[in-house]
């Protein structure tokens, strides 16, 4: 059976170009990038080239990019590090209700250290308003962390206005850009961002590698004591093959971004239009504008998202009922709940997410199979 992978917000296929770029560094070019001999220096050059390729995706300098093990580590470092850095000034942190659990649980950890957390609400489309941020800011606020784009619905937040609101008050601004990086244009200087998290496997790079943009001058505390790697802020021998792979993924993403964005937006709108037509009572949770090119989130009132995902799986279609990290949990999506969806709607969501390997044929197969699946469940539940 031909399968369709429509769960790219959880993880993407590693590009062949990325594997090819990594392979020499998994085999012959294995030297430690910190070694002084020429074998080591050759690896060092490739790691630094990867850093430059990544920096150019968000228009920063390469010495502002720090490699980590992924999005989760970057979020932990940025949030706990920035809050502790500024703790003498104040112990109030602002985030939103729709963040990834890497952020939500990092601020929870801060709460146990005596920080107070304010969670911003969203409107019905899942957007956070700069006015609500302005109102939440207090004299003791030291950090604002709001995600660039949401991993469940695809809603792109008004990051420039949010960041400028924080900066106006002299407050550090972090954004979890794991879903946005490599998919939509980002310029950290124009947007006035201090800290930005990203992850290799969300843009056709390898898993277990990601990074944090730390604006020059922000002296985030050391994450891992050890050698002088990553400017002495994260010790340990670099994962050179993965960093080089992520660099190649960044190059590919930047090269094809405009093309892929336009192509995926058409596919996304084709799926949304088709679903609305074939399942008239469905609720599209992806906002009609300011959304990522490759995410469609839809709620069907007839069954739990997880049941729908399993039925799609039997037909060879791999989708998700929200975020992969929280599957198995019985709670409805915290993102859809924050958007004001009732429990049935928040429980009944399915997310389809696409990437450079998704074709129009894939979309049309989903449009043929999914409504049929929904009707089947409906006829059973009506018996
Ligand atoms: C996937 C994801 C993460 C976690 O990234 P990992 O590299 O898997 O740790 C964090 N935030 C968002 C928005 C994500 O989609």
């Amino acid at each position: 059976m031909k399968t369709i992978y429509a769960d790219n917000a959880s993880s993407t296929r590693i590009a062949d170009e990325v594997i090819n770029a990594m392979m020499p560094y998994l085999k012959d070019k294995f030297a430690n990038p910190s070694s002084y001999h020429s074998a080591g220096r050759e690896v060092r050059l490739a790691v630094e080239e990867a850093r430059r390729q990544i920096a150019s995706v968000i228009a920063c300098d390469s010495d502002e990019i720090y490699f980590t093990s992924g999005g989760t580590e970057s979020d932990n470092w940025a949030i706990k590090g920035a809050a502790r850095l500024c703790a003498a000034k104040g112990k109030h942190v602002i985030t939103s209700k729709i963040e990834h659990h890497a952020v939500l649980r990092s601020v929870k950890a801060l709460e146990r250290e005596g920080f107070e957390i304010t969670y911003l609400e969203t409107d019905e489309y899942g957007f956070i308003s700069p006015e609500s941020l302005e109102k939440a800011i207090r004299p003791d606020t030291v950090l604002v962390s709001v995600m660039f784009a949401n991993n469940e619905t695809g809603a792109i937040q008004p990051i420039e206005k949010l960041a400028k609101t924080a900066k106006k008050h002299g407050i550090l601004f972090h954004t979890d850009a794991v879903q946005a990086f490599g998919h939509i244009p980002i310029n950290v200087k124009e947007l006035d961002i201090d800290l930005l998290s990203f992850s290799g496997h969300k843009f056709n790079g390898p898993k277990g590698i990601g990074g944090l943009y730390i604006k020059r001058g922000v002296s985030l505390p050391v994450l891992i004591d050890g050698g002088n790697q990553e400017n002495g802020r994260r010790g340990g021998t670099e994962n050179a093959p993965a960093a080089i792979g992520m660099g190649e993924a960044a190059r590919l993403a930047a090269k094809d971004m405009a093309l892929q964005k336009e192509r995926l937006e058409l596919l996304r709108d084709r799926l949304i239009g088709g679903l609305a037509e074939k399942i008239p009572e469905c609720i599209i949770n992806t906002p009609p504008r300011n959304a990522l090119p490759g995410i469609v989130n839809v709620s069907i009132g007839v069954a739990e998202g997880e049941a729908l995902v399993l039925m799609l799986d039997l037909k060879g279609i791999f989708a998700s009922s929200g975020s992969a990290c929280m599957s198995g949990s019985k709670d409805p999506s915290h993102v859809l709940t924050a958007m004001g969806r009732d429990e049935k709607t928040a429980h009944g969501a399915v997310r389809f997410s696409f990437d450079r390997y998704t074709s129009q044929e894939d979309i049309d197969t989903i449009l043929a199979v999914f409504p049929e699946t929904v009707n089947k469940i409906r006829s059973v539940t009506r018996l």
Side-chain angles (χ1 to χ4, degrees), residues 52-276:
R52 271 192 294 280
Q53 284 167 327
I54 287 155
S56 82
V57 174
I58 55 171
C60 67
D61 293 328
S62 59
D63 62 356
E64 295 173 304
I65 295 292
Y66 291 77
F67 291 126
T68 67
S69 69
T72 301
E73 184 183 317
S74 299
D75 286 342
N76 271 264
W77 189 12
I79 291 167
K80 294 174 187 170
R84 288 168 191 160
L85 174 71
C86 304
K89 259 172 58 191
K91 291 192 121 186
H92 179 235
V93 172
I94 300 173
T95 185
S96 83
K97 286 194 162 171
I98 60 163
E99 299 297 313
H100 188 274
H101 282 86
V103 168
L104 291 176
R105 288 182 178 166
S106 290
V107 297
K108 268 275 170 277
L110 288 174
E111 219 165 43
R112 292 190 290 272
E113 292 175 22
F115 283 85
E116 266 185 83
I117 317 296
T118 298
Y119 299 89
L120 300 175
E121 307 272 349
T122 79
D123 65 14
E124 61 181 303
Y125 298 105
F127 295 118
I128 293 144
S129 78
E131 293 74 36
S132 72
L133 172 59
E134 181 74 58
K135 280 200 203 109
I137 290 173
R138 314 191 314 208
D140 60 343
T141 308
V142 290
L143 173 67
V144 174
S145 177
V146 175
M147 69 198 321
F148 210 107
N150 184 263
N151 49 304
E152 292 189 30
T153 66
I156 302 171
Q157 301 302 331
I159 290 298
E160 180 166 12
K161 288 197 179 129
L162 291 166
K164 295 209 156 120
T165 302
K167 305 305 296 178
K168 194 174 72 189
H169 294 272
I171 300 166
L172 286 175
F173 186 84
H174 165 253
T175 185
D176 173 341
V178 172
Q179 290 293 333
F181 189 100
H183 298 281
I184 54 173
I186 301 176
N187 183 318
V188 288
K189 303 284 163 206
E190 280 173 11
L191 298 176
D192 227 341
I193 293 168
D194 297 305
L195 301 156
L196 177 146
S197 308
F198 57 94
S199 174
H201 74 108
K202 301 293 176 81
F203 58 101
N204 306 106
K207 293 173 183 56
I209 183 96
L212 183 63
Y213 156 75
I214 307 178
K215 185 177 166 180
R216 194 173 300 114
V218 176
S219 44
L220 209 62
V222 169
L223 178 67
I224 298 179
D225 293 300
N228 288 329
Q229 295 91 353
E230 304 307 302
N231 232 346
R233 282 160 137 175
R234 184 184 185 269
T237 302
E238 297 89 341
N239 186 348
I244 291 161
M246 182 165 68
E248 174 65 7
R251 190 189 65 78
L252 277 178
K255 177 170 80 71
D256 298 340
M257 190 184 290
L259 188 113
Q260 287 297 341
K261 183 171 171 291
E262 194 185 318
R263 197 185 70 85
L264 287 170
E265 281 170 350
L266 285 173
L267 295 185
R268 176 196 65 195
D269 295 345
R270 185 182 181 91
L271 180 58
I272 289 176
L275 290 175

Side-chain angles (χ1 to χ4, degrees), residues 275 282-286 296-300 348-352 370:
L275 290 175
C282 77
I283 295 167
I284 304 291
N285 297 311
T286 295
V296 173
N297 187 309
V298 58
S299 287
I300 315 280
V350 177
R351 178 188 67 189
F352 299 98
F370 187 55

